[in-house]
Amino acid sequence: MKKEFKDYQEEIYKCSRCGLCQSVCPVFKVTLNECAVSRGKFNILNGILKGDLRFSDNVKKYLDLCTGCNACKDFCPSGIDACKIFIAAKHEYYKNKKISLFVRFLNSYFLFKSFLVCLGIAAFILRVTGICKIIKIFENLILKFGYLGKRLVLFNSLVSSKYGKAREKIVQGKTKKAVYFEGCFNKYINDDTKNAVTNILSRCGVELIDRNFECCGISYLHDGNFEQFKKLINKNIKAFDCDVDYVITDCASCNSVLKEYKNFYDTEKTVDLSNKTTAAVDLIKNIHFEAFKKLNVAVHKPCHDSYDFINIVKNIKGINFVDVEDFDKCCGFSGKFAVQNQKISREISRQKILHYVEQDVDYIITTCPACLLGLNQGLAEINTAKKPEAINLFVFLAKYCKPSI
Ligand code: SF4
Ligand code: SF4
């Protein structure tokens, strides 16, 4: 079961104030604000534990000044898992605060889902009318229109079809059954990745079964809103009503959150779903691919993914793999963080993208739809004649490669 804020007291006291977390924190790098980094947040939480401070809107604001990238955890000599503590602290804040019906409505899944449906309709209109292609042609001109221009270019890059093929239902040498946790991006905005994943996995003998899953709940989990998060777990457990070998995700964030479900409910079904959750890339690790043409390709490693997928990319025959500085650093886009701290989020994304532009990369391959948002956000911040394209690994493999024997 999930630990409460008070259960982390000893871990918070382990912080030696060495300040090493400053050197890896993407938010600190851009803001130079001590409250952005773990050490600063632990100082505040220490004050709360001692009774000198209390949970307030300001404390919550500083706790929210974090992308959840986990870089500080990996670097901390005391081995403190800062993100888990921040989540527990935010949960404590919600427990102690009277939240009005209006604020509850603003935080509700109903509103979030309605917003996604509206974005999905806009995306569909842009694609079928061909407006996507027109925006792409005039992209550099549109970027000159400041904030709104940048947001339009960002939205267009996400909704444009990069793969364009429908799902093929031919399963060759069928051996494994899996339910497909498609995630919000595939479901509402652009199903390119879903089609590419289905087509590649079906050739590897994996049959993907659709279920009507809801959002994995990552933004509610990271916000400490366990009430809403648990509602989504229950909905997804209901939808997961079959006996399969895997629960497949093509999103590094969904993958990490589904594995967390069992820490909230230890029922047989929840544990089964968490234990069977598998990243789609894990099923193609032993397949070699060959590219149709020579391309300069680099990767962006999502904070919630392992380094494994990078080897798949490095092993693609015929590409020129480009090592880019900070390829494993946060892209700056992290659900609510990007909404609440737009300027900081955009600046982190912009700085990240510059490394790829300097190296004349054609494609930046990644495995998380949220990172595609971050990378495209960074691309919309720069106005150069030649830019790389951010692309999902499966879309790249399905579009530009064939399995090599
Ligand atoms: S690196 Fe770890 S121990 Fe050092 S200040 Fe940051 S959180 Fe504290
Ligand atoms: S998780 Fe990332 S953004 Fe948050 S405090 Fe740690 S290094 Fe900074």
Side-chain angles (χ1 to χ4, degrees), residues 164-206:
K165 275 196 191 170
R167 296 175 92 187
E168 294 161 12
K169 292 278 181 183
I170 326 141
V171 179
Q172 290 170 2
K174 184 176 119 187
T175 52
K176 299 282 182 195
K177 262 193 169 185
V179 286
Y180 189 25
F181 192 91
E182 60 187 334
C184 299
F185 195 81
N186 275 318
K187 189 168 177 173
Y188 298 104
I189 315 291
N190 188 344
D191 62 0
D192 259 358
T193 304
K194 177 178 177 174
N195 297 340
V197 169
T198 310
N199 294 350
I200 290 181
L201 289 190
S202 70
R203 288 183 179 82
C204 306
V206 181

Side-chain angles (χ1 to χ4, degrees), residues 164 184 189 214 218 359 371 383:
C184 299
I189 315 291
E214 300 290 341
I218 186 165
Q359 300 256 42
C371 295
N383 200 343

Side-chain angles (χ1 to χ4, degrees), residues 5 8-19 21 34-50 53 55 59 62-63 66 70 72-73 76-89:
F5 173 62
Y8 286 105
Q9 182 163 333
E10 271 194 21
E11 206 159 340
I12 294 170
Y13 289 159
K14 275 204 288 184
C15 174
S16 64
R17 311 283 182 269
C18 67
C21 43
E34 175 70 10
C35 292
V37 80
S38 305
R39 182 174 67 175
K41 291 180 177 66
F42 287 148
N43 271 334
I44 296 171
L45 296 178
N46 241 317
I48 289 174
L49 287 170
K50 282 187 190 152
L53 286 172
F55 279 109
V59 168
Y62 290 129
L63 291 171
C66 167
N70 272 331
C72 51
K73 174 189 162 195
C76 175
S78 305
I80 307 172
D81 189 343
C83 289
K84 282 205 170 146
I85 298 173
F86 302 156
I87 290 173

